[in-house]
Amino acid sequence: MGKNVFRMENMPGEMKDIVSLAKRRGFVFPSSEIYGGVEALWDYGPLGAALKNNIRREWLKTFVQKMENVELLDASVLMHPKVWEASGHVEHFSDPMVDCKNCKSRLRADHLDSNQCPECGGKEFTEARQFNLMFSTFLGPVQDEGHRTYLRPEAAQSMFADFRLVQEAMRQKLPFGIAQVGKAFRNEITTGNFIFRSREFDIAEIEFFVKPGEDEQWFDYWVDQWEAFFLSLGLRKENLRRYEHPKEALSHYSKRTVDLEYKFPFGWKEIAGIANRTDYDLKRHAEFSGQDLSFYDEETKEKVVPYVVEPTLGLERALLAILCDAYEEVKGGRTETTEAAKEKEVVLRLAPRLAPVQVAVYPLVRNKPELVEKAREVFGSFQKDFWCRYDETGSIGRRYRRGDEIGVPLSITVDFDSLKGEDVTVRDRDTMKQERVAITQLGDVINKRLSI
Ligand SMILES: [Zn+2]
């Protein structure tokens, strides 16, 4: 546990800066930090929680709200134990592990290069054994094999198990999808790279049910949709690429898998994937449950077991990619004033609609009650529509930079002219342009900026 959960020593410099910003400004904390933290478990602080929530909201809007044939589900994390037998997870969801005979470290056998323990340099290991990555627990007070179940390692299985319930309740026809976003758990052996590989994470998945024979074209469609989603979140095209899994390396259920990879400071890594799961899951659940999970096609008067195309992504990985993509350091600062000239400045160029703080409101100085009162009034009038933050401490330049560092797209400053003219200064994070806007027009200006 504990010791140095950030594992910064092997990180590229830029990554260290992002990790330290994330902790300092309340995006991500180690879980149970007062006890030294726990590896691969993280807490999303005030800004991280808001950012993650904004990514989730965009995802729901794009794939559920705007799509007539995708239905939302929010299923339980714990399920009937048979689900995990049918899915193949009890049998297949494992990594080969060895123990170092010297220091007792448990290591991934397939990650051991040079046959040397990375912890102590030892060269003697136990025989490789399969270690299941699911967290196991018991349903009810009796802790025996008959009551064992697992925390779900993916959200997919409940969408297969509820396939017919959703289809009938919503009177959907093929093709249609079930979408779900929620917690999943994997007892990862190899951790590190900050929040990239976490033992508890939010997964956003769609199971898209199609007629057999139409699966390949729908697969291509979902790869395009998924990639477009990441681009819409502001990721740069050159930092995103597709990786086609070679046939021989496919999961037991998959006919084809394409990953979307992001160019993190620590290398190209998977942030999302699209798999053609064929009719594997529905057939297995039909077999294990004894229920008919086929779909009756009114047109052809035939029963078919649908094929499933599954696009999936991890919210935390998306969040990390977004942070890395948005992070920019400006040596010497962006402003010409003497105060800022020597400092390093950080600008987090988040897509405005994802920003955890959308609008900051500042009185020019805090020792003039009439300015504070006016600024408070402006702040109060926008709080219900936007994520606003009020800040009165420090010089105005310092407050702008504090806002830039967490990606606040728009800052509103209330000054002495505001008291007379009922207008304020609006400053844009990216251009640093300042313009005078009538308070009555502010809502429109903010809405326009946040639509990006
Ligand atoms: Zn060792």
Tab-separated table of all heavy atoms in Angstrom, residues 134-155:
chain	number	residue	atom	x	y	z
A	134	MET	N	-10.986	-10.092	-11.116
A	134	MET	CA	-12.236	-9.627	-10.518
A	134	MET	C	-12.109	-9.584	-8.994
A	134	MET	O	-11.514	-10.469	-8.391
A	134	MET	CB	-13.390	-10.556	-10.898
A	134	MET	CG	-13.839	-10.381	-12.339
A	134	MET	SD	-15.419	-11.175	-12.655
A	134	MET	CE	-15.007	-12.903	-12.481
A	135	PHE	N	-12.709	-8.544	-8.386
A	135	PHE	CA	-12.809	-8.476	-6.929
A	135	PHE	C	-13.947	-9.395	-6.516
A	135	PHE	O	-15.076	-9.246	-6.992
A	135	PHE	CB	-13.134	-7.055	-6.464
A	135	PHE	CG	-11.959	-6.136	-6.447
A	135	PHE	CD1	-11.729	-5.258	-7.493
A	135	PHE	CD2	-11.071	-6.137	-5.362
A	135	PHE	CE1	-10.649	-4.391	-7.472
A	135	PHE	CE2	-9.988	-5.272	-5.335
A	135	PHE	CZ	-9.774	-4.394	-6.394
A	136	SER	N	-13.619	-10.317	-5.626
A	136	SER	CA	-14.615	-11.283	-5.219
A	136	SER	C	-15.228	-10.869	-3.880
A	136	SER	O	-14.572	-10.239	-3.057
A	136	SER	CB	-13.886	-12.629	-5.132
A	136	SER	OG	-14.441	-13.444	-4.189
A	137	THR	N	-16.515	-11.186	-3.703
A	137	THR	CA	-17.166	-10.889	-2.426
A	137	THR	C	-18.298	-11.893	-2.222
A	137	THR	O	-18.455	-12.817	-3.027
A	137	THR	CB	-17.683	-9.434	-2.388
A	137	THR	OG1	-18.172	-9.149	-1.076
A	137	THR	CG2	-18.801	-9.191	-3.390
A	138	PHE	N	-19.047	-11.755	-1.134
A	138	PHE	CA	-20.121	-12.701	-0.845
A	138	PHE	C	-21.451	-11.975	-0.725
A	138	PHE	O	-21.521	-10.888	-0.152
A	138	PHE	CB	-19.830	-13.461	0.449
A	138	PHE	CG	-18.559	-14.242	0.393
A	138	PHE	CD1	-17.376	-13.698	0.898
A	138	PHE	CD2	-18.519	-15.504	-0.193
A	138	PHE	CE1	-16.194	-14.406	0.830
A	138	PHE	CE2	-17.338	-16.218	-0.271
A	138	PHE	CZ	-16.165	-15.671	0.238
A	139	LEU	N	-22.505	-12.615	-1.244
A	139	LEU	CA	-23.851	-12.066	-1.109
A	139	LEU	C	-24.458	-12.629	0.170
A	139	LEU	O	-24.580	-13.841	0.305
A	139	LEU	CB	-24.707	-12.471	-2.306
A	139	LEU	CG	-24.432	-11.744	-3.633
A	139	LEU	CD1	-25.179	-12.423	-4.771
A	139	LEU	CD2	-24.810	-10.262	-3.544
A	140	GLY	N	-24.821	-11.744	1.100
A	140	GLY	CA	-25.409	-12.201	2.344
A	140	GLY	C	-24.353	-12.616	3.354
A	140	GLY	O	-23.157	-12.511	3.103
A	141	PRO	N	-24.813	-13.110	4.523
A	141	PRO	CA	-23.882	-13.351	5.638
A	141	PRO	C	-23.057	-14.635	5.522
A	141	PRO	O	-22.064	-14.780	6.214
A	141	PRO	CB	-24.813	-13.421	6.851
A	141	PRO	CG	-26.118	-13.874	6.295
A	141	PRO	CD	-26.204	-13.364	4.882
A	142	VAL	N	-23.458	-15.547	4.655
A	142	VAL	CA	-22.729	-16.819	4.585
A	142	VAL	C	-21.587	-16.712	3.571
A	142	VAL	O	-21.804	-16.446	2.396
A	142	VAL	CB	-23.670	-17.973	4.184
A	142	VAL	CG1	-22.898	-19.300	4.176
A	142	VAL	CG2	-24.862	-18.048	5.124
A	143	GLN	N	-20.374	-16.913	4.068
A	143	GLN	CA	-19.227	-16.733	3.183
A	143	GLN	C	-18.709	-18.070	2.669
A	143	GLN	O	-17.655	-18.543	3.081
A	143	GLN	CB	-18.120	-15.978	3.918
A	143	GLN	CG	-18.634	-14.660	4.511
A	143	GLN	CD	-17.556	-13.599	4.615
A	143	GLN	OE1	-16.367	-13.883	4.609
A	143	GLN	NE2	-17.978	-12.350	4.702
A	144	ASP	N	-19.484	-18.692	1.783
A	144	ASP	CA	-18.976	-19.910	1.154
A	144	ASP	C	-19.092	-19.776	-0.368
A	144	ASP	O	-19.628	-18.794	-0.874
A	144	ASP	CB	-19.718	-21.152	1.683
A	144	ASP	CG	-21.203	-21.123	1.319
A	144	ASP	OD1	-21.600	-20.300	0.461
A	144	ASP	OD2	-21.963	-21.925	1.888
A	145	GLU	N	-18.600	-20.792	-1.073
A	145	GLU	CA	-18.546	-20.697	-2.545
A	145	GLU	C	-19.922	-20.470	-3.166
A	145	GLU	O	-20.041	-19.818	-4.191
A	145	GLU	CB	-17.884	-21.945	-3.137
A	145	GLU	CG	-16.365	-21.911	-3.033
A	145	GLU	CD	-15.754	-20.599	-3.511
A	145	GLU	OE1	-16.050	-20.188	-4.651
A	145	GLU	OE2	-15.001	-19.974	-2.746
A	146	GLY	N	-20.946	-21.018	-2.529
A	146	GLY	CA	-22.306	-20.869	-3.061
A	146	GLY	C	-22.796	-19.430	-3.051
A	146	GLY	O	-23.756	-19.097	-3.742
A	147	HIS	N	-22.174	-18.582	-2.249
A	147	HIS	CA	-22.619	-17.190	-2.136
A	147	HIS	C	-21.618	-16.208	-2.734
A	147	HIS	O	-21.761	-15.007	-2.588
A	147	HIS	CB	-22.873	-16.831	-0.666
A	147	HIS	CG	-24.001	-17.603	-0.063
A	147	HIS	ND1	-23.840	-18.882	0.424
A	147	HIS	CD2	-25.312	-17.287	0.092
A	147	HIS	CE1	-25.008	-19.324	0.874
A	147	HIS	NE2	-25.914	-18.384	0.681
A	148	ARG	N	-20.602	-16.762	-3.401
A	148	ARG	CA	-19.575	-15.865	-3.950
A	148	ARG	C	-20.081	-15.151	-5.209
A	148	ARG	O	-20.708	-15.749	-6.076
A	148	ARG	CB	-18.323	-16.671	-4.321
A	148	ARG	CG	-17.173	-15.782	-4.826
A	148	ARG	CD	-15.998	-16.616	-5.297
A	148	ARG	NE	-15.388	-17.396	-4.221
A	148	ARG	CZ	-14.562	-16.875	-3.302
A	148	ARG	NH1	-14.258	-15.607	-3.329
A	148	ARG	NH2	-14.055	-17.654	-2.365
A	149	THR	N	-19.845	-13.850	-5.269
A	149	THR	CA	-20.038	-13.138	-6.522
A	149	THR	C	-18.915	-12.120	-6.672
A	149	THR	O	-17.956	-12.134	-5.902
A	149	THR	CB	-21.439	-12.496	-6.639
A	149	THR	OG1	-21.627	-12.031	-7.989
A	149	THR	CG2	-21.605	-11.316	-5.694
A	150	TYR	N	-19.035	-11.251	-7.661
A	150	TYR	CA	-17.914	-10.359	-7.993
A	150	TYR	C	-18.404	-8.937	-8.222
A	150	TYR	O	-19.545	-8.719	-8.634
A	150	TYR	CB	-17.218	-10.865	-9.267
A	150	TYR	CG	-16.755	-12.299	-9.160
A	150	TYR	CD1	-17.587	-13.341	-9.570
A	150	TYR	CD2	-15.520	-12.600	-8.609
A	150	TYR	CE1	-17.189	-14.661	-9.439
A	150	TYR	CE2	-15.102	-13.922	-8.473
A	150	TYR	CZ	-15.941	-14.947	-8.893
A	150	TYR	OH	-15.542	-16.247	-8.757
A	151	LEU	N	-17.532	-7.982	-7.939
A	151	LEU	CA	-17.809	-6.607	-8.374
A	151	LEU	C	-17.604	-6.595	-9.880
A	151	LEU	O	-16.609	-7.121	-10.365
A	151	LEU	CB	-16.851	-5.617	-7.718
A	151	LEU	CG	-16.811	-5.563	-6.194
A	151	LEU	CD1	-15.969	-4.374	-5.739
A	151	LEU	CD2	-18.211	-5.449	-5.614
A	152	ARG	N	-18.525	-5.996	-10.614
A	152	ARG	CA	-18.453	-6.113	-12.075
A	152	ARG	C	-17.150	-5.483	-12.621
A	152	ARG	O	-16.773	-4.383	-12.225
A	152	ARG	CB	-19.670	-5.459	-12.735
A	152	ARG	CG	-19.719	-3.953	-12.574
A	152	ARG	CD	-20.990	-3.391	-13.230
A	152	ARG	NE	-21.007	-1.939	-13.120
A	152	ARG	CZ	-22.076	-1.183	-13.364
A	152	ARG	NH1	-23.214	-1.745	-13.734
A	152	ARG	NH2	-22.019	0.116	-13.243
A	153	PRO	N	-16.462	-6.193	-13.523
A	153	PRO	CA	-15.259	-5.628	-14.140
A	153	PRO	C	-15.584	-4.852	-15.409
A	153	PRO	O	-14.694	-4.263	-16.022
A	153	PRO	CB	-14.434	-6.880	-14.472
A	153	PRO	CG	-15.464	-7.937	-14.726
A	153	PRO	CD	-16.672	-7.611	-13.872
A	154	GLU	N	-16.829	-4.838	-15.810
A	154	GLU	CA	-17.306	-4.079	-16.973
A	154	GLU	C	-18.811	-3.921	-16.789
A	154	GLU	O	-19.418	-4.637	-16.010
A	154	GLU	CB	-17.016	-4.852	-18.269
A	154	GLU	CG	-17.653	-6.232	-18.289
A	154	GLU	CD	-17.460	-6.985	-19.603
A	154	GLU	OE1	-16.466	-6.747	-20.286
A	154	GLU	OE2	-18.332	-7.821	-19.911
A	155	ALA	N	-19.400	-2.978	-17.496
A	155	ALA	CA	-20.842	-2.752	-17.345
A	155	ALA	C	-21.646	-3.593	-18.335
A	155	ALA	O	-22.868	-3.703	-18.239
A	155	ALA	CB	-21.168	-1.273	-17.531
